């Protein structure tokens, strides 16, 4: 990995001159740079395994990049390092005497660049306890990745179709105000919840990929997908659909071979959530697409495991209460 030659200090709000997203920073507090330094910095943090924190390489020193810098600085103060072998990509762990003598403040200064170059030269990587991994178009924790691989294997065994890019998972906590409600409910910030594509179900009986029926308790949904396994008997289901123009729902009986995707999710530990109050008037409150993996840890502990410590989020103004 090549090193970064910078000796100047960079601050949140700095913007590269060619960034297409300058207007997202903008204003009197923006510091427009002379060259595309932030692009290079974002690329290097991605190389180190902080890609899910950095997000798009856009030349803006935004809250996402600042969260990656804070996470890196905090990890650099400790002795634990994850080492990645450049030949086979295998990761191992090391315990070293820390060399970083800077602060955890989200500012890229000489001390941070010096440590960053040490990591680049020695192939160290994001050393939080549970760095996220890429799965399809999203980022997930390893337990979600294992569960989704099993889901795909089961659906393929029955000649069903469930593509890797049919769901989303991670939502960066660096972009939002952390509330007590999120601490209790939102596992997307922990990469432990998935959303199926909400526009591939309840939309069109002839084009949908997911077919939705009401559960027996009338509080949850059952999600089905078509399959071609001759051992699965043909059945008739009453599925629900949504008319966007009139914001109303209607039912349609459809016959065929279907896999109960909700049951498959439950078999690998992914559980649905209840439809929310007001769903009859607001499609986005149906939540038929949401499944999550329970965790024995608190929200604060879990978010720290993927690199977002309470200290780092507090520095970014993302304060939150203890659950």
């Amino acid at each position: 990995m090549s090193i970064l030659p910078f000796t100047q200090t960079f601050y949140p709000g700095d913007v590269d001159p060619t960034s297409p997203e300058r207007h997202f920073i903008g204003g009197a507090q923006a510091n427009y740079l002379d060259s595309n330094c932030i692009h290079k910095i974002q690329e290097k943090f991605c190389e180190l395994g902080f890609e899910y924190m950095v997000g798009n390489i856009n030349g803006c020193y935004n809250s996402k990049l600042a969260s990656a810098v804070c996470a890196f600085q905090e990890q650099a103060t400790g002795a634990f390092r994850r080492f990645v072998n450049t030949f086979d990509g295998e990761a191992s762990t090391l315990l070293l005497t820390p060399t970083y003598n800077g602060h955890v403040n989200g500012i890229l200064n000489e001390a941070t660049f010096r440590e960053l170059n040490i990591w680049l030269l020695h192939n160290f990587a994001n050393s939080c306890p549970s760095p996220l991994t890429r799965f399809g178009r999203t980022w997930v924790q390893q337990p979600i990745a294992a569960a989704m691989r099993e889901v795909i294997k089961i659906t393929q065994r029955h000649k069903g179709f469930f593509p890797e890019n049919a769901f989303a998972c991670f939502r960066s906590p660096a972009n939002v105000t952390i509330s007590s409600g999120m601490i209790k409910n939102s596992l997307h910030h922990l990469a432990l919840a998935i959303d199926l594509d909400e526009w591939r179900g309840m939309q069109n009986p002839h084009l949908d990929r997911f077919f939705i029926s009401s559960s027996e308790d009338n509080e949850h949904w059952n999600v089905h997908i078509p399959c071609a396994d001759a051992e699965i008997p043909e059945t008739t289901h009453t599925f629900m659909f949504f008319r966007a123009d009139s914001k109303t729902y209607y039912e349609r009986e459809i016959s065929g071979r279907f896999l109960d995707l909700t049951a498959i999710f439950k078999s690998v530990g992914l559980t649905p959530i209840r439809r929310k109050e007001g769903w009859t008037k607001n499609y986005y409150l149906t939540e038929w697409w949401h499944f999550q993996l329970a965790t024995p840890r608190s929200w604060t502990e879990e978010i720290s495991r993927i690199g977002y410590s309470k200290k780092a989020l507090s520095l970014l103004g993302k304060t939150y209460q203890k659950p």
Side-chain angles (χ1 to χ4, degrees):
M1 294 183 184
S2 59
I3 65 172
L4 289 170
F6 304 128
T7 57
Q8 68 266 44
T9 301
F10 297 93
Y11 299 90
D14 286 348
V15 185
D16 285 342
T18 60
S19 171
E21 301 183 32
R22 294 189 299 276
H23 57 283
F24 287 133
I25 302 290
Q29 296 184 3
N31 176 25
Y32 294 96
L33 306 176
D34 295 327
S35 60
N36 289 328
C37 304
I38 304 302
H39 278 86
K40 298 181 180 67
I41 292 167
Q42 289 173 317
E43 288 171 355
K44 293 306 175 186
F45 271 98
C46 289
E47 286 182 26
L48 291 176
F50 293 91
E51 186 177 355
Y52 63 91
M53 291 186 169
V54 173
N56 294 331
I57 297 177
N58 55 14
C60 296
Y61 200 152
N62 51 24
S63 60
K64 286 186 175 181
L65 178 57
S67 69
V69 174
C70 283
F72 169 76
Q73 291 171 329
E74 192 152 39
Q75 291 175 26
T77 62
F80 179 80
R81 298 286 184 272
R82 181 172 282 106
F83 168 79
V84 178
N85 189 312
T86 55
F87 291 99
D88 57 17
E90 292 294 322
S92 57
T93 57
L94 302 171
L95 286 178
L96 304 174
T97 301
T99 55
Y100 180 62
N101 58 1
H103 300 286
V104 180
N105 55 14
I107 297 172
L108 278 164
N109 53 22
E110 185 178 356
T112 305
F113 278 121
R114 184 167 55 247
E115 183 68 18
L116 187 60
N117 285 328
I118 290 174
W119 283 47
L120 289 167
L121 286 170
H122 291 86
N123 293 323
F124 296 153
N126 185 345
S127 298
C128 68
S130 185
L132 302 189
T133 184
R134 172 73 77 176
F135 196 100
R137 61 174 178 167
T138 190
W139 294 93
V140 299
Q141 286 206 48
Q142 286 292 346
I144 287 282
M148 293 310 299
R149 280 193 290 268
E150 185 64 21
V151 168
I152 292 172
K153 185 169 70 174
I154 294 172
T155 56
Q156 289 178 342
R157 184 190 310 150
H158 294 288
K159 300 179 182 179
F161 182 61
F162 185 86
E164 286 189 3
N165 64 352
F167 72 96
C169 178
F170 179 59
R171 298 175 190 165
S172 172
N175 276 1
V176 297
T177 300
I178 306 299
S179 67
S180 57
M182 289 179 185
I183 292 172
K184 292 179 181 178
N185 301 315
S186 181
L187 296 185
H188 282 295
H189 298 298
L190 311 179
L192 288 175
I194 70 163
D195 281 346
L196 301 176
D197 190 336
E198 65 266 27
W199 297 114
R200 297 187 185 187
M202 270 196 187
Q203 303 303 307
N204 188 311
H206 305 290
L207 300 176
D208 279 355
R209 177 161 292 157
F210 304 112
F211 292 84
I212 319 303
S213 63
S214 183
S215 63
E216 292 183 0
D217 62 9
N218 286 321
E219 294 184 357
H220 298 79
W221 302 102
N222 290 328
V223 182
H224 298 77
I225 59 172
C227 71
D229 187 350
E231 295 185 3
I232 302 294
E234 288 195 20
T235 53
T236 299
H237 295 268
T238 301
F239 294 123
M240 186 168 288
F241 299 90
F242 176 73
R243 290 190 178 96
D245 53 353
S246 60
K247 293 183 172 57
T248 57
Y249 298 86
Y250 66 97
E251 293 181 337
R252 178 75 60 85
E253 286 191 351
I254 299 177
S255 299
R257 292 185 173 91
F258 292 93
L259 293 177
D260 188 339
L261 192 59
T262 298
I264 296 173
F265 278 138
K266 288 180 178 179
S267 72
V268 297
L270 289 165
T271 57
I273 62 173
R274 287 184 174 87
R275 58 187 80 169
K276 294 181 179 178
E277 184 177 354
W279 71 270
T280 57
K281 297 181 180 179
N282 186 341
Y283 172 71
Y284 290 104
L285 298 180
T286 60
E287 291 283 1
W288 65 260
W289 47 78
H290 183 102
F291 294 83
Q292 59 190 35
L293 192 67
T295 171
R297 305 181 185 91
S298 70
W299 194 93
T300 305
E301 291 172 330
E302 199 66 66
I303 204 167
S304 294
R305 285 179 54 81
I306 64 173
Y308 296 93
S309 70
K310 186 172 184 178
K311 180 177 181 180
L313 288 176
S314 296
L315 286 170
L316 295 171
K318 313 297 180 183
T319 56
Y320 51 86
Q321 303 171 356
K322 185 177 180 181

